[in-house]
Amino acid sequence: MAGTARERLAELLGDLDEEPAWSVYHKLFMTDLSVSVDGIGPLRFPVSEEQSVRLRELGRRARFGRGEETLTDPEVRDTWEIPKELVHVEWTAAFGTMLEVMRDELGLPPHCELTADLHSMLLYETGQFFVTHQDSEKDDSMVGTLVVTLPSDHTGGELVIEHRGQRAEYRGSKVAVSLVAFYADCHHQVLPVKTGNRITLTYNLLLTGDSGAAAEDALAEEVAACLDEHFATPAVLPYGRGQTDPPTRLAYLLDHEYTERGLSWSRLKGSDAARAALLRAAAERAGCDMTLALAEIQETWDAYADDDEDSWYGDDDDSPEEDDDSADDGQYVLQDLIDSSIALAHWVGPDGQLEEISLTLRDAEVAATVPTAGLTPYESHYEGYMGNYGNTLDRWYRRAALVIWPRSRGFASRAQASSRWALDELGEMIRAGKVAEAREAAQSTEPFWKAAVHATPGKELLGRALPVADGLDEAASAATLLRPFRMDQLLPEHAPAFAALAARYGDIWITALLRDWFDAWTPANYGYAPEPPAWLTGLPRLCAAFSATGSAGATTAVHHILGLSWKWLADGIRPLLTEPSTSSAVAQLTRLGEPLSGLVAAAAESGPTGVLDDVVTLAGQADGDQGIALVMAALRAARPGSEGFDELALGCAERIREVLARPQRASGDWSIELPAGCACELCRTLGAFLQDPERRVLEWPLAQEKRSHVHGRIHLAELPVLHETRRQGRPYTLVLTKTDALFREERLARERGEADLVWLTKNWAVPV
């Protein structure tokens, strides 16, 4: 038997009774079924050509579902559907008995009832078919499909069903009623009818009763022992990296595929139902809780195309054989599993309702009797040879899982999967007066809480967390709960709750929390991805919301928010003000103008904080186009006459006038200043050429590496110099030519400065 507890558990579950069928076939006498159709009357078996023609006259082209759409396409489904309201079906008692037989053969528990709900009547004429597809669950209790083929004289039209690489083919009969039942996750098709007409009734198979009800089994004690050992044994890290803490959960992957609608204890299929019942009993004995979940699995395999004659593996007889279980990518030969990931996206909550979660599982937390690679992926993608990457085949699967955790770790296990649930549960504890219990539960989330919060989309989570942190009435627990959030998640509607926290826990606590939030808030690196922090533009509304609370805690919070916001923004602005004036730097500073405007407006409305003085000081230290671009963008984003901007406007106008007062470049002056930076011999030669007011062209024999260095200096500084390589002789010659853009750019800069000055005098009361 396998070594680890989870591997032994998977083997024990695999040793249950013989694998149930995933499809079953039976026949009933023609006298066990009566079918009458309005406009035709009772059908006579076998159905004659004459009645088939009359059915065709009543029929309409059958539709099929694709995603959220319902389509009609004879290239996919070519058959006629008789309106259901015209069809009347009566069975003898033999049909009910047959459903019980099928229930047992499909591995469903005897205490559950399997019933059939008529879905449609179909007519397949000669040549008609339905390509491979999977039935959608049309009812919350649906577990499968029943296809009843009426007796008729036809050939072809076989029903082909596939599941986990296995294939079954069923034909109708001329002298009996044929019944085929199969699970809803099976892929199936109807082959073209060769002669005659194939007529069927399709039913949704509905299951009532709990197919995963707890079982008393001799194996339960042994499985419970595996659970005890699993949760007590340190997990072994991959690649020989030692051990870590024991796993906090075990996810046992089931064999059948389930949709969100079909995930329910009462609709487990075949061996899944028996294994769930055994695990329920074992979990109870081991003091564990268990739920049912949906897992999204991705596997990346080293693989090559089966017909790739240039494959590195060639035709070596020792290479692994093709995975026979792969139905959709069987043309590829699998070698080694490179990587895999398993994430839980939904699970069944205590109230039986499906909950959205986000939880990534480690290998040490997963067990399966049937390896995922033995199932059919719902999607695959092959990437051919790409140098160091090799040939890879990505496969995606959906599997259900039984997730188990020790009852003593129940809150932490559920909180890690859903931060929303955790906050709601903590709120319930606090309202029930169980504050000490809530504090202990909040502290138990510390190892994973940051990842759980970051995995939750949207900004509403902070709104749930703030009142809970207040209700914990303990600084350490409240900090644990709030530390993973970011500054940009704080919205005006959060102001009352946040102000209450500031009043409750004090200045030191609120300062530390806000610093954590700013440290975690890294929307962009201004040097490479200049996306302006849009949250700062909303600071006036946020500060106004705090002021409206009228509390001392609100004032403290606002001062800290403004101070940290300015430090955060200034740290991004300063490097741009000191680097060479390029279009890229000017564009980044222009984009930062609107956030700066929001910060200034908020500081002006919130009283003395020192922020306004710091903004004016920083703007006054900036030289040239960068400082003007930043301040002009901030002023254009503000409402003319707004408080806090007058000094910025006056300083900006003064710098523009200084620039305009400089002598204009003479028509024959070709001198260019090379920005400070590298002082190598190449750059000294380049600088001397650029500074020469009369020289326009430099022909410079240089090796490739040296040419690249010169190219880089010219490109980064955006100099108006054309650089071309004349590929003659050795070394090649780098030809540098100063362009007319030198004069054009200076003219445009002067025109822009004059226009900015006119705008400032008009909108900001700047003296003419």
Side-chain angles (χ1 to χ4, degrees), residues 294-374:
L294 284 178
E296 287 281 342
I297 303 172
Q298 179 181 356
E299 292 186 344
T300 301
W301 289 83
D302 177 22
Y304 66 89
D306 193 26
D307 59 354
D308 186 359
E309 296 180 357
D310 296 326
S311 166
W312 179 86
Y313 297 99
D315 294 323
D316 187 353
D317 290 338
D318 293 332
S319 63
E321 295 181 359
E322 181 179 341
D323 179 6
D324 292 333
D325 289 330
S326 178
D328 66 331
D329 49 24
Q331 69 269 34
Y332 302 110
V333 180
L334 303 183
Q335 300 294 318
D336 298 314
L337 180 63
I338 299 173
D339 190 24
S340 66
S341 64
I342 302 177
L344 302 182
H346 297 84
W347 69 17
V348 177
D351 58 358
Q353 299 299 311
L354 198 65
E355 297 177 358
E356 185 175 345
I357 62 170
S358 178
L359 184 62
T360 300
L361 301 177
R362 296 178 292 136
D363 289 342
E365 299 174 319
V366 181
T369 300
V370 177
T372 297

Side-chain angles (χ1 to χ4, degrees), residues 577-640:
L577 295 178
T578 57
E579 69 178 39
S581 179
T582 62
S583 61
S584 174
V586 170
Q588 292 180 56
L589 286 165
T590 300
R591 282 192 285 268
L592 291 173
E594 187 174 2
L596 177 61
S597 178
L599 180 62
V600 170
E605 293 174 6
S606 301
T609 62
V611 171
L612 288 178
D613 293 338
D614 291 342
V615 172
V616 171
T617 300
L618 181 62
Q621 294 171 349
D623 295 326
D625 294 344
Q626 295 102 310
I628 294 173
L630 174 67
V631 177
M632 284 298 302
L635 292 170
R636 291 184 185 277
R639 188 176 68 254

Side-chain angles (χ1 to χ4, degrees), residues 447-530:
F448 57 80
W449 187 241
K450 180 178 180 180
V453 169
H454 291 179
T456 305
K459 297 183 178 181
E460 53 84 25
L461 196 64
L462 180 58
R464 297 176 184 233
L466 292 172
V468 173
D470 188 26
L472 290 173
D473 198 21
E474 182 187 67
S477 299
T480 296
L481 202 65
L482 296 179
R483 194 175 293 118
F485 291 93
R486 302 185 314 272
M487 197 63 224
D488 61 318
Q489 293 172 303
L490 185 63
L491 304 176
E493 55 263 34
H494 301 150
F498 194 87
L501 287 174
R504 178 180 294 277
Y505 297 123
D507 186 71
I508 296 176
W509 185 92
I510 208 72
T511 302
L513 177 65
L514 289 172
R515 282 177 179 162
D516 287 337
W517 285 7
F518 273 99
D519 289 343
W521 183 32
T522 55
N525 181 320
Y526 290 126
Y528 301 96

